[in-house]
Amino acid sequence: EAQVTQNPRYLITVTGKKLTVTCSQNMNHEYMSWYRQDPGLGLRQIYYSMNVEVTDKGDVPEGYKVSRKEKRNFPLILESPSPNQTSLYFCASSLGGAAGQETQYFGPGTRLLVL
Amino acid sequence: GESVGLHLPTLSVQEGDNSIINCAYSNSASDYFIWYKQESGKGPQFIIDIRSNMDKRQGQRVTVLLNKTVKHLSLQIAATQPGDSAVYFCAEYTGGFKTIFGAGTRLFVKA
């Protein structure tokens, strides 16, 4: 089954404790992206990756890191989480950024609480 | 700055009626738009898309209208059903790799 998976689905942590949220897709998609979703603000793009070893900042990259060492995986790293990073996080992938390839497939979400 | 927004945060309709969800965008360079549906506890799912060289596109029970003059997008759902209850987002693409989502509209369908 074609899908985007995220782990963990739920996470409670404390300020300053490094964490990684994994994302994996099995559709051989080139493009992957991370979003955070907050009430009233919709989905805001954190980072995106156009292909292996190619990443760029979205609208809200502060406090986050990403890596794209393999095509299928795109982990989101919070080196020193803070309470304002409490949010619902979504990973997404698409064929690419060219015309006709933009439709993104989303993972189920990771709900993060930073105390 | 660039933004995609929605006029109404919530919309309540009677089952069987038509629904219209609106979206305003500010970047005139945007050339592609997608409507996504997000059900409770799930990630957004593609509904329908439209390119800037079109003003209307129809799918199954859904129609998207694009008015570039006023930078307005709408999603029409015919014969709204309880299963249509969700949050609907419009997303804006400018030909690069960035995606801008609107804040979302929650649709309630009353039986």
Side-chain angles (χ1 to χ4, degrees), chain B residues 18-100:
Chain B
N18 296 334
S19 302
I20 300 176
I21 300 172
N22 296 305
C23 176
Y25 65 96
S26 59
N27 188 345
S28 57
S30 296
D31 57 4
Y32 182 61
F33 304 87
I34 294 180
W35 280 100
Y36 288 90
K37 173 185 180 183
Q38 185 178 23
E39 296 176 289
S40 181
K42 298 182 180 179
Q45 288 183 296
F46 172 92
I47 302 174
I48 192 168
D49 60 354
I50 189 167
R51 299 210 172 271
S52 58
N53 61 354
M54 305 169 68
D55 54 20
K56 180 179 180 179
R57 188 152 192 233
Q58 287 184 291
Q60 189 175 17
R61 282 202 306 118
V62 293
T63 300
V64 55
L65 300 178
L66 176 62
N67 186 332
K68 294 182 288 294
T69 302
V70 295
K71 297 178 192 169
H72 184 268
L73 199 65
S74 69
L75 176 70
Q76 300 178 359
I77 304 174
T80 312
Q81 302 168 0
D84 294 326
S85 293
V87 176
Y88 291 82
F89 294 96
C90 59
E92 175 181 7
Y93 296 78
T94 57
F97 294 93
K98 276 192 174 183
T99 310
I100 301 172

Coordinates of all heavy atoms in Angstrom, one line a residue, chain B residues 18-100:
Chain B
N18 N -26.1 22.2 -1.0 CA -24.8 22.5 -1.6 C -23.9 23.3 -0.6 O -24.4 24.2 0.1 CB -24.9 23.2 -2.9 CG -25.6 22.3 -4.0 OD1 -25.6 21.1 -3.9 ND2 -26.2 23.0 -4.9
S19 N -22.6 23.0 -0.6 CA -21.7 23.8 0.2 C -20.8 24.6 -0.6 O -20.3 24.1 -1.7 CB -20.9 22.8 1.1 OG -21.7 22.0 1.9
I20 N -20.4 25.8 -0.2 CA -19.4 26.6 -0.9 C -18.4 27.1 0.2 O -18.7 27.7 1.1 CB -20.1 27.8 -1.5 CG1 -21.1 27.4 -2.6 CG2 -19.0 28.7 -2.2 CD1 -21.8 28.5 -3.2
I21 N -17.2 26.7 -0.1 CA -16.1 27.1 0.8 C -15.2 28.0 0.0 O -14.8 27.7 -1.1 CB -15.3 25.9 1.3 CG1 -16.2 24.9 2.1 CG2 -14.1 26.3 2.2 CD1 -15.6 23.6 2.4
N22 N -14.8 29.1 0.6 CA -14.0 30.2 -0.1 C -12.6 30.3 0.4 O -12.3 29.9 1.5 CB -14.7 31.5 0.1 CG -16.1 31.6 -0.5 OD1 -16.2 31.3 -1.7 ND2 -17.1 31.9 0.3
C23 N -11.8 30.8 -0.5 CA -10.4 31.0 -0.2 C -9.9 32.2 -0.9 O -10.2 32.4 -2.1 CB -9.6 29.7 -0.6 SG -7.8 29.8 -0.4
A24 N -9.1 33.1 -0.3 CA -8.5 34.2 -0.9 C -7.0 34.0 -0.9 O -6.4 33.6 0.1 CB -8.8 35.5 -0.2
Y25 N -6.3 34.4 -2.0 CA -4.9 34.3 -2.1 C -4.3 35.6 -2.5 O -5.0 36.4 -3.1 CB -4.4 33.2 -3.0 CG -4.7 33.4 -4.5 CD1 -3.8 33.9 -5.3 CD2 -6.0 33.0 -5.0 CE1 -4.1 34.1 -6.7 CE2 -6.3 33.1 -6.3 CZ -5.4 33.7 -7.1 OH -5.7 33.9 -8.5
S26 N -3.1 35.9 -2.1 CA -2.5 37.2 -2.3 C -1.4 37.2 -3.4 O -1.0 38.3 -3.8 CB -2.0 37.8 -1.0 OG -1.0 37.0 -0.5
N27 N -0.9 36.1 -3.7 CA 0.3 36.0 -4.6 C -0.2 35.8 -6.1 O -0.7 34.7 -6.4 CB 1.2 34.9 -4.2 CG 2.5 34.9 -5.0 OD1 2.6 35.6 -6.0 ND2 3.5 34.2 -4.6
S28 N -0.2 36.9 -6.8 CA -0.7 36.8 -8.2 C 0.2 35.9 -9.1 O -0.2 35.5 -10.2 CB -0.7 38.2 -8.8 OG 0.6 38.8 -8.8
A29 N 1.4 35.5 -8.6 CA 2.2 34.6 -9.4 C 1.9 33.2 -9.2 O 2.4 32.3 -9.9 CB 3.7 34.8 -9.0
S30 N 1.0 32.9 -8.2 CA 0.6 31.5 -8.0 C -0.1 30.9 -9.2 O -1.0 31.6 -9.8 CB -0.4 31.4 -6.8 OG 0.3 31.8 -5.6
D31 N 0.3 29.7 -9.6 CA -0.2 29.2 -10.9 C -0.9 27.8 -10.7 O -1.3 27.2 -11.7 CB 0.9 29.1 -11.9 CG 2.1 28.2 -11.4 OD1 2.0 27.6 -10.3 OD2 3.1 28.1 -12.1
Y32 N -1.0 27.4 -9.5 CA -1.6 26.1 -9.3 C -2.2 26.1 -7.9 O -1.6 26.6 -6.9 CB -0.5 25.0 -9.4 CG -1.0 23.6 -9.3 CD1 -2.0 23.1 -10.1 CD2 -0.5 22.8 -8.3 CE1 -2.4 21.8 -10.0 CE2 -0.9 21.5 -8.2 CZ -1.9 21.0 -9.0 OH -2.3 19.7 -8.9
F33 N -3.4 25.5 -7.8 CA -4.1 25.5 -6.5 C -4.7 24.1 -6.3 O -5.1 23.4 -7.2 CB -5.2 26.5 -6.5 CG -4.8 27.9 -6.8 CD1 -4.7 28.3 -8.1 CD2 -4.4 28.8 -5.8 CE1 -4.2 29.6 -8.4 CE2 -4.0 30.0 -6.1 CZ -3.9 30.4 -7.4
I34 N -4.7 23.7 -5.0 CA -5.2 22.4 -4.6 C -6.1 22.6 -3.4 O -5.8 23.3 -2.5 CB -4.1 21.3 -4.3 CG1 -3.3 21.0 -5.5 CG2 -4.7 20.1 -3.7 CD1 -2.2 20.0 -5.2
W35 N -7.2 21.9 -3.4 CA -8.1 21.8 -2.2 C -7.8 20.4 -1.6 O -7.8 19.4 -2.2 CB -9.6 21.9 -2.6 CG -10.1 23.3 -2.8 CD1 -10.2 23.9 -4.0 CD2 -10.4 24.2 -1.8 NE1 -10.7 25.2 -3.8 CE2 -10.8 25.4 -2.4 CE3 -10.5 24.2 -0.4 CZ2 -11.3 26.5 -1.7 CZ3 -10.9 25.3 0.3 CH2 -11.3 26.4 -0.4
Y36 N -7.6 20.5 -0.3 CA -7.4 19.3 0.5 C -8.5 19.2 1.6 O -9.0 20.2 2.1 CB -6.1 19.3 1.3 CG -4.8 19.1 0.4 CD1 -4.2 20.2 -0.1 CD2 -4.3 17.9 0.2 CE1 -3.0 20.1 -0.9 CE2 -3.1 17.7 -0.5 CZ -2.5 18.8 -1.1 OH -1.4 18.7 -1.8
K37 N -8.8 17.9 1.9 CA -9.8 17.6 3.0 C -9.1 16.9 4.1 O -8.3 16.0 3.9 CB -10.9 16.7 2.4 CG -11.9 16.2 3.4 CD -12.9 15.2 2.7 CE -13.9 14.6 3.7 NZ -14.7 13.6 3.1
Q38 N -9.3 17.4 5.3 CA -8.7 16.8 6.5 C -9.8 16.3 7.4 O -10.5 17.1 8.1 CB -7.8 17.7 7.2 CG -7.0 17.0 8.3 CD -6.0 18.0 9.0 OE1 -6.2 19.2 9.0 NE2 -5.0 17.4 9.7
E39 N -9.9 15.0 7.6 CA -10.9 14.4 8.5 C -10.2 14.3 9.9 O -9.0 14.3 10.0 CB -11.3 13.0 8.1 CG -12.1 13.1 6.8 CD -12.5 11.8 6.2 OE1 -11.6 11.1 5.7 OE2 -13.7 11.4 6.3
S40 N -11.0 14.2 10.9 CA -10.5 14.2 12.3 C -9.4 13.1 12.5 O -9.7 11.9 12.1 CB -11.6 14.0 13.3 OG -11.2 14.1 14.6
G41 N -8.3 13.4 13.0 CA -7.3 12.4 13.3 C -6.5 12.0 12.1 O -5.7 11.0 12.2
K42 N -6.6 12.6 11.0 CA -5.9 12.2 9.7 C -5.2 13.3 9.1 O -5.4 14.5 9.4 CB -6.9 11.6 8.7 CG -7.6 10.4 9.2 CD -8.5 9.8 8.1 CE -9.3 8.6 8.6 NZ -10.2 8.0 7.6
G43 N -4.3 13.0 8.2 CA -3.6 14.0 7.4 C -4.5 14.5 6.3 O -5.5 13.8 5.9
P44 N -4.2 15.7 5.7 CA -5.0 16.2 4.6 C -4.9 15.2 3.4 O -3.9 14.6 3.1 CB -4.3 17.5 4.2 CG -3.6 17.9 5.5 CD -3.2 16.6 6.1
Q45 N -6.0 15.2 2.6 CA -6.1 14.4 1.4 C -6.5 15.2 0.2 O -7.4 16.1 0.4 CB -7.1 13.2 1.6 CG -6.7 12.2 2.5 CD -7.7 11.0 2.6 OE1 -8.8 11.3 3.0 NE2 -7.3 9.9 2.1
F46 N -6.0 15.0 -0.9 CA -6.3 15.7 -2.1 C -7.7 15.5 -2.5 O -8.3 14.4 -2.5 CB -5.4 15.2 -3.3 CG -5.7 15.7 -4.6 CD1 -5.1 16.8 -5.1 CD2 -6.6 15.0 -5.4 CE1 -5.4 17.3 -6.4 CE2 -6.9 15.5 -6.7 CZ -6.3 16.6 -7.2
I47 N -8.4 16.7 -2.9 CA -9.7 16.6 -3.4 C -9.8 16.9 -4.9 O -10.2 16.2 -5.7 CB -10.7 17.6 -2.7 CG1 -10.7 17.3 -1.2 CG2 -12.1 17.5 -3.3 CD1 -11.5 18.4 -0.5
I48 N -9.3 18.1 -5.2 CA -9.3 18.6 -6.6 C -8.3 19.7 -6.8 O -7.9 20.4 -5.8 CB -10.8 19.1 -6.9 CG1 -10.9 19.3 -8.4 CG2 -11.1 20.4 -6.1 CD1 -12.4 19.5 -8.9
D49 N -7.9 19.9 -8.0 CA -6.9 20.9 -8.3 C -7.3 21.8 -9.5 O -8.2 21.4 -10.2 CB -5.5 20.3 -8.5 CG -5.5 19.4 -9.7 OD1 -6.5 19.1 -10.3 OD2 -4.4 18.9 -10.0
I50 N -6.6 22.9 -9.6 CA -6.9 23.7 -10.8 C -5.6 24.6 -11.1 O -4.9 25.0 -10.2 CB -8.1 24.7 -10.5 CG1 -8.5 25.4 -11.8 CG2 -7.8 25.7 -9.4 CD1 -9.9 26.0 -11.8
R51 N -5.4 24.7 -12.4 CA -4.2 25.6 -12.8 C -4.7 27.0 -13.1 O -5.9 27.2 -13.4 CB -3.5 24.9 -14.0 CG -3.0 23.6 -13.7 CD -1.8 23.2 -14.5 NE -1.2 22.0 -13.9 CZ -0.3 21.9 -12.9 NH1 0.1 23.0 -12.4 NH2 0.1 20.8 -12.4
S52 N -3.8 27.9 -13.2 CA -4.2 29.3 -13.3 C -4.7 29.6 -14.7 O -5.3 30.7 -15.0 CB -3.0 30.2 -13.0 OG -1.9 29.9 -13.8
N53 N -4.5 28.7 -15.7 CA -5.1 28.9 -17.0 C -6.5 28.5 -17.2 O -7.0 28.4 -18.3 CB -4.2 28.3 -18.1 CG -4.1 26.8 -17.9 OD1 -4.6 26.2 -17.0 ND2 -3.4 26.1 -18.9
M54 N -7.1 28.0 -16.1 CA -8.5 27.6 -16.1 C -9.3 28.4 -15.1 O -8.7 29.0 -14.2 CB -8.6 26.1 -15.6 CG -7.7 25.2 -16.4 SD -7.6 23.5 -15.7 CE -9.3 23.0 -15.9
D55 N -10.6 28.5 -15.2 CA -11.4 29.2 -14.2 C -12.4 28.2 -13.6 O -13.1 28.6 -12.6 CB -12.1 30.4 -14.9 CG -12.9 30.0 -16.1 OD1 -13.3 28.8 -16.3 OD2 -13.3 30.9 -16.9
K56 N -12.5 27.0 -14.1 CA -13.4 26.0 -13.5 C -12.9 24.6 -13.7 O -12.4 24.3 -14.8 CB -14.8 26.2 -14.0 CG -15.9 25.3 -13.5 CD -17.2 25.6 -14.1 CE -18.3 24.7 -13.6 NZ -19.6 25.1 -14.2
R57 N -13.1 23.8 -12.7 CA -12.8 22.4 -12.9 C -13.8 21.6 -12.1 O -14.0 21.9 -10.9 CB -11.4 22.1 -12.5 CG -10.9 20.7 -12.9 CD -9.4 20.6 -13.1 NE -9.1 19.3 -13.7 CZ -8.2 18.5 -13.2 NH1 -7.5 18.8 -12.1 NH2 -7.9 17.4 -13.8
Q58 N -14.3 20.5 -12.7 CA -15.3 19.7 -12.0 C -14.7 18.3 -11.7 O -14.1 17.7 -12.5 CB -16.5 19.6 -12.8 CG -17.4 20.9 -12.8 CD -18.7 20.7 -13.5 OE1 -18.7 20.6 -14.8 NE2 -19.8 20.8 -12.8
G59 N -15.1 17.8 -10.5 CA -14.8 16.4 -10.2 C -16.1 15.7 -9.8 O -17.2 16.2 -10.2
Q60 N -16.0 14.7 -9.1 CA -17.2 14.0 -8.6 C -17.8 14.7 -7.4 O -17.3 14.8 -6.4 CB -16.9 12.6 -8.2 CG -18.1 11.7 -8.0 CD -17.7 10.3 -7.7 OE1 -16.6 10.0 -7.4 NE2 -18.7 9.4 -7.8
R61 N -19.0 15.4 -7.6 CA -19.7 16.2 -6.6 C -18.9 17.4 -6.2 O -19.4 18.2 -5.4 CB -20.0 15.4 -5.4 CG -21.2 14.5 -5.5 CD -21.8 14.1 -4.1 NE -20.8 13.6 -3.1 CZ -20.5 14.2 -2.0 NH1 -21.1 15.4 -1.7 NH2 -19.6 13.7 -1.2
V62 N -17.7 17.7 -6.7 CA -17.0 18.9 -6.3 C -16.6 19.7 -7.5 O -16.4 19.1 -8.6 CB -15.7 18.5 -5.5 CG1 -16.1 18.0 -4.1 CG2 -14.8 17.6 -6.3
T63 N -16.6 21.0 -7.3 CA -16.2 21.9 -8.4 C -15.4 23.0 -7.8 O -15.7 23.5 -6.7 CB -17.5 22.6 -9.0 OG1 -18.3 21.6 -9.6 CG2 -17.1 23.6 -10.1
V64 N -14.3 23.3 -8.5 CA -13.4 24.4 -8.0 C -13.5 25.5 -9.0 O -13.5 25.3 -10.2 CB -12.0 24.0 -7.8 CG1 -11.4 23.3 -9.0 CG2 -11.1 25.1 -7.3
L65 N -13.7 26.7 -8.5 CA -13.8 27.9 -9.3 C -12.6 28.8 -9.0 O -12.3 29.0 -7.8 CB -15.1 28.7 -9.1 CG -16.4 27.9 -9.4 CD1 -17.6 28.8 -9.1 CD2 -16.4 27.5 -10.9
L66 N -12.0 29.4 -10.0 CA -10.9 30.3 -9.8 C -11.1 31.6 -10.4 O -11.4 31.7 -11.6 CB -9.6 29.7 -10.4 CG -8.3 30.6 -10.4 CD1 -7.9 30.9 -8.9 CD2 -7.2 29.9 -11.1
N67 N -11.1 32.7 -9.7 CA -11.2 34.0 -10.2 C -9.9 34.8 -10.0 O -9.7 35.3 -8.9 CB -12.4 34.8 -9.5 CG -12.7 36.1 -10.1 OD1 -11.8 36.8 -10.6 ND2 -13.9 36.5 -10.0
K68 N -9.1 34.9 -11.0 CA -7.8 35.5 -10.9 C -7.9 37.0 -10.7 O -7.0 37.6 -10.1 CB -6.9 35.1 -12.1 CG -6.6 33.6 -12.1 CD -5.7 33.3 -13.3 CE -6.5 33.4 -14.6 NZ -7.5 32.3 -14.8
T69 N -9.0 37.6 -11.2 CA -9.1 39.0 -11.1 C -9.1 39.5 -9.6 O -8.5 40.5 -9.3 CB -10.4 39.5 -11.8 OG1 -10.3 39.0 -13.2 CG2 -10.5 41.0 -11.8
V70 N -9.8 38.7 -8.8 CA -9.9 39.1 -7.4 C -9.2 38.1 -6.5 O -9.3 38.2 -5.3 CB -11.4 39.2 -7.0 CG1 -12.1 40.3 -7.7 CG2 -12.1 37.9 -7.2
K71 N -8.4 37.3 -7.1 CA -7.6 36.3 -6.4 C -8.4 35.5 -5.4 O -8.2 35.5 -4.2 CB -6.5 37.0 -5.7 CG -5.5 37.7 -6.6 CD -4.4 38.4 -5.8 CE -3.6 39.4 -6.7 NZ -2.8 40.3 -5.9
H72 N -9.4 34.8 -6.0 CA -10.4 34.1 -5.1 C -10.6 32.7 -5.7 O -10.7 32.5 -6.9 CB -11.7 34.9 -5.1 CG -12.7 34.3 -4.2 ND1 -13.6 33.4 -4.7 CD2 -13.0 34.4 -2.9 CE1 -14.4 33.0 -3.7 NE2 -14.0 33.6 -2.6
L73 N -10.7 31.8 -4.8 CA -10.8 30.4 -5.1 C -12.0 29.9 -4.3 O -12.2 30.3 -3.1 CB -9.6 29.6 -4.6 CG -9.2 28.3 -5.2 CD1 -8.9 28.3 -6.6 CD2 -8.0 27.8 -4.4
S74 N -12.8 29.0 -4.9 CA -13.9 28.4 -4.1 C -14.1 26.9 -4.4 O -13.7 26.5 -5.5 CB -15.2 29.1 -4.4 OG -15.7 28.9 -5.7
L75 N -14.6 26.2 -3.4 CA -14.8 24.8 -3.5 C -16.3 24.6 -3.3 O -16.9 25.0 -2.3 CB -14.1 24.0 -2.5 CG -14.3 22.5 -2.5 CD1 -13.8 21.8 -3.7 CD2 -13.8 21.8 -1.2
Q76 N -17.0 24.0 -4.3 CA -18.4 23.7 -4.2 C -18.6 22.2 -4.1 O -18.1 21.5 -4.9 CB -19.1 24.3 -5.4 CG -19.0 25.8 -5.6 CD -19.7 26.3 -6.8 OE1 -20.3 25.5 -7.6 NE2 -19.6 27.6 -7.0
I77 N -19.4 21.9 -3.1 CA -19.7 20.4 -2.9 C -21.2 20.3 -3.1 O -22.0 20.9 -2.4 CB -19.3 20.0 -1.4 CG1 -17.8 20.3 -1.2 CG2 -19.6 18.5 -1.3 CD1 -17.4 20.0 0.3
A78 N -21.6 19.5 -4.0 CA -23.0 19.2 -4.3 C -23.5 18.2 -3.4 O -22.9 17.2 -3.1 CB -23.1 18.8 -5.8
A79 N -24.8 18.4 -3.0 CA -25.5 17.4 -2.2 C -24.7 16.9 -1.1 O -24.3 15.7 -1.0 CB -25.9 16.2 -3.1
T80 N -24.3 17.8 -0.2 CA -23.4 17.5 0.9 C -23.9 16.4 1.8 O -25.1 16.3 2.1 CB -23.2 18.8 1.8 OG1 -22.9 19.9 0.9 CG2 -22.0 18.6 2.7
Q81 N -22.9 15.5 2.1 CA -23.3 14.3 2.9 C -22.5 14.4 4.3 O -21.5 15.1 4.4 CB -22.8 13.1 2.1 CG -23.4 12.9 0.8 CD -22.8 11.9 -0.1 OE1 -21.8 11.2 0.4 NE2 -23.3 11.7 -1.3
P82 N -23.0 13.6 5.2 CA -22.3 13.6 6.5 C -20.8 13.3 6.4 O -20.0 13.8 7.2 CB -23.1 12.5 7.3 CG -24.4 12.5 6.7 CD -24.2 12.8 5.2
G83 N -20.5 12.5 5.5 CA -19.0 12.1 5.3 C -18.2 13.3 4.8 O -17.0 13.2 4.7
D84 N -18.9 14.3 4.4 CA -18.1 15.5 3.9 C -17.7 16.4 5.1 O -16.9 17.3 4.9 CB -19.0 16.4 3.0 CG -19.3 15.6 1.7 OD1 -18.4 14.9 1.2 OD2 -20.4 15.8 1.1
S85 N -18.2 16.1 6.3 CA -17.7 16.9 7.5 C -16.2 16.7 7.7 O -15.7 15.6 7.8 CB -18.5 16.4 8.7 OG -19.9 16.6 8.6
A86 N -15.6 17.8 7.6 CA -14.1 17.8 7.7 C -13.6 19.3 7.7 O -14.4 20.2 7.7 CB -13.5 17.1 6.6
V87 N -12.3 19.4 7.8 CA -11.7 20.8 7.6 C -11.1 20.8 6.2 O -10.5 19.8 5.7 CB -10.6 21.0 8.6 CG1 -9.9 22.4 8.3 CG2 -11.1 21.0 10.0
Y88 N -11.4 21.8 5.5 CA -11.0 22.0 4.1 C -9.9 23.1 4.0 O -10.1 24.2 4.5 CB -12.2 22.3 3.2 CG -13.1 21.1 3.1 CD1 -14.1 20.8 4.0 CD2 -13.0 20.2 2.0 CE1 -14.9 19.7 4.0 CE2 -13.8 19.1 1.9 CZ -14.8 18.9 2.9 OH -15.6 17.8 2.8
F89 N -8.8 22.8 3.3 CA -7.8 23.7 3.1 C -7.5 24.0 1.6 O -7.6 23.0 0.8 CB -6.4 23.2 3.6 CG -6.4 23.0 5.1 CD1 -6.7 21.7 5.6 CD2 -6.0 24.0 5.9 CE1 -6.6 21.5 7.0 CE2 -6.0 23.8 7.3 CZ -6.2 22.5 7.8
C90 N -7.3 25.2 1.3 CA -6.8 25.5 -0.1 C -5.2 25.6 0.0 O -4.7 26.1 1.1 CB -7.4 26.7 -0.7 SG -7.1 28.2 0.3
A91 N -4.5 25.2 -1.0 CA -3.1 25.3 -1.0 C -2.7 26.0 -2.3 O -3.3 25.8 -3.3 CB -2.5 24.0 -0.9
E92 N -1.6 26.8 -2.2 CA -1.2 27.7 -3.3 C 0.2 27.3 -3.6 O 1.1 27.1 -2.8 CB -1.2 29.1 -2.7 CG -0.7 30.1 -3.6 CD -0.8 31.5 -3.0 OE1 -1.1 31.6 -1.8 OE2 -0.5 32.5 -3.6
Y93 N 0.5 27.2 -4.9 CA 1.8 26.8 -5.4 C 2.3 27.9 -6.4 O 1.5 28.3 -7.3 CB 1.8 25.5 -6.2 CG 1.4 24.3 -5.3 CD1 0.1 24.1 -4.9 CD2 2.4 23.4 -4.8 CE1 -0.2 23.0 -4.1 CE2 2.1 22.4 -4.0 CZ 0.7 22.1 -3.7 OH 0.4 21.1 -2.9
T94 N 3.5 28.3 -6.3 CA 4.0 29.4 -7.1 C 5.0 28.9 -8.2 O 5.8 29.7 -8.7 CB 4.6 30.5 -6.3 OG1 5.7 29.9 -5.5 CG2 3.6 31.1 -5.3
G95 N 5.0 27.6 -8.5 CA 6.0 27.1 -9.5 C 7.3 26.6 -8.9 O 8.1 26.0 -9.5
G96 N 7.5 26.9 -7.6 CA 8.7 26.4 -6.9 C 8.3 25.2 -6.1 O 7.4 24.5 -6.4
F97 N 9.0 25.1 -5.0 CA 8.7 23.9 -4.1 C 8.1 24.3 -2.8 O 7.8 23.5 -2.0 CB 10.0 23.2 -3.8 CG 10.6 22.6 -5.0 CD1 11.6 23.3 -5.8 CD2 10.3 21.3 -5.5 CE1 12.1 22.7 -6.9 CE2 10.8 20.7 -6.6 CZ 11.7 21.4 -7.3
K98 N 7.8 25.6 -2.6 CA 7.1 26.0 -1.4 C 5.6 25.9 -1.6 O 5.1 26.1 -2.7 CB 7.4 27.4 -1.1 CG 8.7 27.6 -0.3 CD 8.8 29.0 0.3 CE 10.0 29.2 1.2 NZ 10.1 30.5 1.7
T99 N 4.9 25.5 -0.5 CA 3.5 25.4 -0.5 C 2.9 26.3 0.6 O 3.4 26.2 1.7 CB 3.0 23.9 -0.3 OG1 3.7 23.0 -1.2 CG2 1.5 23.8 -0.5
I100 N 1.9 27.0 0.2 CA 1.3 27.9 1.2 C -0.2 27.4 1.4 O -0.9 27.3 0.5 CB 1.3 29.3 0.8 CG1 2.7 29.8 0.6 CG2 0.6 30.2 1.9 CD1 2.8 31.2 0.0

